[in-house]
Amino acid sequence: VKSVLSTDYHDDELFEKNKARWEKAFGDSSDDTDLKATIAISLLLQAADSFHTMQHWAVYKKWTERYFFEVYTAFQQGRAQQDPS
């Protein structure tokens, strides 16, 4: 598996892992074009998730509800420290 879609950008551990992957892919001595492409796609997906708020109200509401339930599930499973409700 080269990439996993994750919109949980409030996860500090995930942030640190992505930061390390970025440094590995785009550091001075890297030639790994597959890793570079994977990181770029991951960042584009995260940007799309952030900018969904500029959509029509119905679309915004739909995706915001989905995000809430994603974060709430993470909290219930012990993967998030803060209850979003």
Side-chain angles (χ1 to χ4, degrees), residues 6-53:
S6 173
T7 59
D8 194 8
Y9 52 85
H10 296 290
D11 183 342
D12 292 334
E13 183 180 342
L14 180 62
F15 175 79
E16 289 302 321
K17 285 181 182 179
N18 286 339
K19 185 176 174 184
R21 287 176 64 211
W22 177 272
E23 291 298 324
K24 180 180 176 184
F26 293 98
D28 293 335
S29 62
S30 178
D31 297 352
D32 192 346
T33 55
D34 287 342
L35 181 59
K36 289 179 181 181
T38 301
I39 301 271
I41 290 170
S42 177
L43 288 174
L44 287 171
L45 290 170
Q46 287 179 349
D49 181 58
S50 297
F51 289 105
H52 85 275
T53 58

Side-chain angles (χ1 to χ4, degrees), residues 2-3 9-10 13 17 20 23 43 45-47 58 61 63 65-66 73 77 79 82 84:
K2 292 194 181 236
S3 182
Y9 52 85
H10 296 290
E13 183 180 342
K17 285 181 182 179
E23 291 298 324
L43 288 174
L45 290 170
Q46 287 179 349
K61 184 178 174 195
W63 288 104
E65 287 174 356
R66 289 180 180 191
T73 300
Q77 294 175 349
R79 295 183 291 118
Q82 202 168 22

